[in-house]
Amino acid sequence: MQPVVAAQSTAIHLLNCFTCNARVPARLRTGTLCLLVETDCGLVLVDTGLGEADYAHKTAILRAFQVVTRLPLNPDETAVRQVVSLGYRPEDVQEIVLTHMHFDHCGGLPDFPWARVHVHRRELEAFQGRPKRWTDLAYVRRQIAHKPEFALYSETGERWFDQAAIRLPFAPEMWLVPLYGHTRGHCGVAVRTESGWHFHVGDAGPVGLDAYTPDWLARAVLGPHTPRLRAFRDAHPEIVMTTGHMWLDFFEAGLGG
Ligand SMILES: [Zn+2]
């Protein structure tokens, strides 16, 4: 199978790095969105999806997902294979930014063992600490067993639009936008692309920000931000907004949305 790749411009590629479909209803098919951004520091990968080791030795949580969802589990969806099929070398990815450290967002870290990993300090602390809530069970320790170099961030008082944000050390501009709730250190990532801002809100909102999710469920699983993020999207139609999990149509359409 060809990797599912959509290029928004020459500067940013939208990759599906883990397909996860509902059993019922079967039409609910999603991919896990990772951004591959061309910057002055080389390629910056935002989230990784699953990695080669997840296919070779399935984690307990992945086996649990296999029971409750339909997973094609195609290793061609790994970020490292898609980077290669885009014509780059894996070593061209020297920097990885994480929205959060759940298994479906950072499983690919071991495929880029040399890469520096940029994440909010609170998120790494939550990952390494004792589980405090059921969503912490989606942290898989072995995914950082290779001991990557971390660049950790905390709030600085800066803002991106009307939101507290932390500037990342790349050009074009990239910002970590704290959106706590899904996990204790979860952040969105804003990227200035050739065609304008792209705001990836990770798992702070339901699929495409549009999927119907009861308020109590969204709040429990995704955190409190969905209404505010929808209002921000309505106020800024010029900004492309994506979520950590997007309908497969988004990737198949080649441009998203
Ligand atoms: Zn998550």
Side-chain angles (χ1 to χ4, degrees), residues 100 102 104-105 138 182-183 186 203 245:
H100 64 302
H102 278 167
D104 49 336
H105 296 261
H182 176 63
T183 63
H186 180 281
D203 285 357
H245 303 275

Side-chain angles (χ1 to χ4, degrees), residues 15 17 45 47-48 50 77-84 111-112:
L15 312 180
C17 295
L45 181 63
D47 283 354
T48 72
L50 297 190
E77 289 185 344
T78 57
V80 67
R81 294 197 191 186
Q82 295 195 59
V83 163
V84 169
D111 296 336
F112 306 93

Side-chain angles (χ1 to χ4, degrees), residues 33-52:
L33 176 59
C34 302
L35 313 180
L36 185 67
V37 188
E38 297 171 4
T39 76
D40 64 346
C41 305
L43 296 175
V44 176
L45 181 63
V46 179
D47 283 354
T48 72
L50 297 190
E52 298 281 4

Side-chain angles (χ1 to χ4, degrees), residues 122-226:
R122 284 173 53 131
E123 184 62 14
L124 183 61
E125 288 172 357
F127 180 95
Q128 292 177 322
R130 207 174 292 152
K132 288 190 176 157
R133 44 179 291 191
W134 63 273
T135 51
D136 290 349
L137 300 176
Y139 291 137
V140 175
R141 303 287 172 105
R142 80 176 197 205
Q143 291 178 333
I144 61 165
H146 60 291
K147 295 188 171 33
E149 178 191 350
F150 281 99
L152 300 177
Y153 297 89
S154 303
E155 276 75 342
T156 58
E158 295 174 284
R159 298 186 87 73
W160 176 77
F161 287 84
D162 60 349
Q163 325 198 37
I166 304 154
R167 179 82 190 263
L168 290 164
F170 310 125
E173 258 176 275
M174 294 178 67
W175 295 80
L176 269 185
V177 181
L179 296 169
Y180 306 141
H182 176 63
T183 63
R184 277 165 274 162
H186 180 281
C187 291
V189 179
V191 183
R192 189 194 282 281
T193 74
E194 290 176 347
S195 50
W197 284 105
H198 186 125
F199 184 23
H200 182 57
V201 306
D203 285 357
V207 181
L209 276 182
D210 283 323
Y212 173 71
T213 311
D215 283 349
W216 65 269
L217 184 60
R219 184 168 281 272
V221 178
L222 306 171
H225 308 287
T226 301

Side-chain angles (χ1 to χ4, degrees), residues 66-122:
Q66 273 188 295
V67 174
V68 295
T69 60
R70 290 181 297 127
L71 305 180
L73 289 183
N74 179 353
D76 285 345
E77 289 185 344
T78 57
V80 67
R81 294 197 191 186
Q82 295 195 59
V83 163
V84 169
S85 57
L86 282 167
Y88 301 108
R89 296 171 306 144
E91 297 78 17
D92 293 335
V93 178
Q94 291 287 334
E95 315 284 345
I96 295 176
V97 180
L98 297 176
T99 59
H100 64 302
M101 297 185 67
H102 278 167
F103 78 101
D104 49 336
H105 296 261
C106 72
L109 290 180
D111 296 336
F112 306 93
W114 50 79
R116 191 160 55 138
V117 179
H118 303 256
V119 67
H120 198 289
R121 179 177 299 279
R122 284 173 53 131

